[in-house]
Amino acid sequence: MTPHEASPPMVFWPRCTAVDGCTGRAAGDLGGCPAHLRPREFERFTGSLRPGADLDLRGVTVPPWLLDGVLDAVTGPDGRPHLGRARFDGAVLPADAGLRGLCVEGDSSFDGARFLGGASFYDARFFGNVSFRGARFGRNASFHEARFHRHATFEEAVFTGDALFGETRWHADAAFRGAVLMGAACFDRARFGRDAAMQGACFRGDVSFKRVQVARHARFERARFRHGAWLGPLAAGGRIGLSDATVHGGLRVHAAARQVIARGAIVHGEADFRLRHAALDLEDAVFEGPAAVRALAHPIQGLTEPPAGSGPSGVRLLSLRRADATRLLLADIDLSGCGFLGLRRPDALRISGDCAFATAPGRRRLRPWRRRDRAVLAEDLAGGAGRDDRLRTLYQELARATADSDSVRLARDFRYSALEMRRHGERDPWRRAGLHLLWITCGYGLRAGRAVAWLAVIIALLCCGASVVRHDDRTRHDDRTGGVRAAHMTARRT
């Protein structure tokens, strides 16, 4: 039976009247819920089921023989159990519930269900909406190679053992908001047709998202990772959200995305961001170990990346305001729009490779002989009152931090900018005049070309002066010599 064929109508049974705590529903005129039917009644019940039949086991404590009997009754010629609409809300399912290959053609609900042991939905198919909201998995739960064709939610579910979602396909949204995964969580090679929504989830075991494709957003805001997080290689068509996430044991994000937002994230351990085509925001982030942001030069094989931004890798750092890291390495990324004011430890910053900064405007027009523009911070171009002192201090600290970097000119540019801000903000007239003199003559000692030019001018002036003096001396000597000769000639004539 295909998911487009009509399924039998749902039978709404009255509540079970058993005294053992079962809250299931009675099976029509059979006098009890399926778990409490007599053998012949149970045979009549399963005999009425066909592939694609609706099933309502809400609140039923399902023994293994009942689950096996129902699945056998709805198994189709393809060897798969086929259900229409399935309702297991509040049901208690047996240990090692074997639901491999299950095909649910309508909506299904497992809200509040309890799986006493392991549960296997390997290669299952859910063609309608499916909900595991608040479900409890007593041991390992496997959804390996399962297919969810519409919205699927595991919000506030608890996975006591490992949660295996390797090679799972979601054709729409997958929601794990507030879920608790106490064992290892594996999403390797999963595909999300829209959003992977995991806000507020708690991952207490190892986490792996290798070779994952997300059509829109991968959202881990406020998530907690107790044993580190390995996110990637991963490709997202939209945003990877890590705002206010807490990670113990280290974080690695190896991804291609439009945006990676980690505002307020706290990482207790090392952090490594290796990105392509992404705008990264680390404002208010805290890294208790070394952190690095690098650009990936080569595409991630096997994944569809978002459209490329500027440059070969298109990685831009948007903000480091109030970020804190024991050591922070930035390599081969665009820093032209990055905000640095409030960076907690500028002395821990290291810059390597080809990192592009903003440049001071209008310099090339005023000095056409200049070969390159001076690197400045984005806040320097933005202006604003009350920022001069903080920005000057930041320039000084960045100059010290980049003194040993690959590009010596960057540290020189930062020192120059710090002195420029001091010159413009100096209130003492004599000190301001001295700084103006240093700026004009030698660029605060950092512009060798300007000093050489002034030295050349001074030498030329001295040479010109010497020439004039020598010319004047020669003229006076010639005048004196001419006067003596004239006196001798006059004496001879007389």
Side-chain angles (χ1 to χ4, degrees), residues 417-453:
S417 296
L419 290 168
E420 277 283 84
M421 301 210 70
R422 181 181 175 185
R423 178 170 68 90
H424 290 294
E426 182 59 61
R427 297 181 179 180
D428 186 276
W430 292 104
R431 291 180 181 177
R432 186 167 60 250
L435 288 171
H436 276 292
L437 181 61
L438 286 174
W439 171 67
I440 293 173
T441 55
C442 60
Y444 311 111
L446 300 172
R447 297 294 184 258
R450 191 181 304 178
V452 169

Side-chain angles (χ1 to χ4, degrees), residues 101-112:
L102 176 67
C103 181
V104 183
E105 296 159 0
D107 292 343
S108 54
S109 174
F110 292 81
D111 292 351

Side-chain angles (χ1 to χ4, degrees), residues 44 75 84 117 120 122 209 240 257 319 352 354 434 443:
R44 289 173 53 195
T75 297
S120 176
Y122 175 83
F209 282 80
I240 299 176
S319 178
S352 67
D354 185 15

Side-chain angles (χ1 to χ4, degrees), residues 165-205:
F165 290 89
E167 300 186 38
T168 303
R169 300 291 186 273
W170 284 273
H171 294 273
D173 294 329
F176 287 81
R177 300 181 185 90
V180 178
L181 298 94
M182 303 181 70
C186 177
F187 290 82
D188 294 349
R189 299 184 183 277
R191 296 291 185 270
F192 296 85
R194 293 182 63 186
D195 291 350
M198 303 191 183
Q199 300 98 315
C202 180
F203 299 89
R204 297 187 178 181

Side-chain angles (χ1 to χ4, degrees), residues 269-455:
E270 297 184 5
D272 188 14
F273 294 87
R274 302 190 182 196
L275 307 174
R276 282 178 60 81
H277 315 311
L280 174 63
D281 191 345
L282 296 179
E283 187 168 313
D284 294 308
V286 177
F287 304 101
E288 294 188 354
V293 181
R294 300 179 176 93
L296 290 173
H298 303 290
I300 300 175
Q301 298 297 325
L303 299 178
T304 303
E305 297 183 350
S310 58
S313 61
V315 179
R316 296 179 293 115
L317 186 56
L318 300 180
S319 178
L320 283 173
R321 296 183 179 94
R322 297 177 299 280
D324 190 359
T326 57
R327 186 169 71 251
L328 178 59
L329 171 65
L330 307 178
D332 300 312
I333 59 177
D334 184 357
L335 300 171
S336 60
C338 180
F340 284 86
L341 275 179
L343 180 63
R344 303 293 185 186
R345 305 184 194 182
D347 57 321
L349 182 64
R350 296 295 180 267
I351 298 174
S352 67
D354 185 15
C355 290
F357 278 84
T359 54
R363 301 300 187 189
R364 191 174 297 276
R365 183 180 66 254
L366 296 177
R367 291 178 282 176
W369 63 86
R370 190 174 176 83
R371 292 186 178 180
R372 65 171 184 84
D373 292 325
R374 173 167 54 90
V376 296
L377 301 181
E379 288 97 342
D380 199 351
L381 302 180
R387 66 165 181 54
D388 291 348
D389 291 340
R390 293 186 298 143
L391 193 55
R392 183 176 71 251
T393 303
L394 178 60
Y395 269 129
Q396 293 170 347
E397 293 174 338
L398 290 177
R400 288 193 293 268
T402 55
D404 298 330
S405 64
D406 296 345
S407 179
V408 177
R409 68 173 179 84
L410 188 59
R412 188 167 58 246
D413 284 350
F414 286 156
R415 286 197 297 269
Y416 186 92
S417 296
L419 290 168
E420 277 283 84
M421 301 210 70
R422 181 181 175 185
R423 178 170 68 90
H424 290 294
E426 182 59 61
R427 297 181 179 180
D428 186 276
W430 292 104
R431 291 180 181 177
R432 186 167 60 250
L435 288 171
H436 276 292
L437 181 61
L438 286 174
W439 171 67
I440 293 173
T441 55
C442 60
Y444 311 111
L446 300 172
R447 297 294 184 258
R450 191 181 304 178
V452 169
W454 276 108
L455 182 60

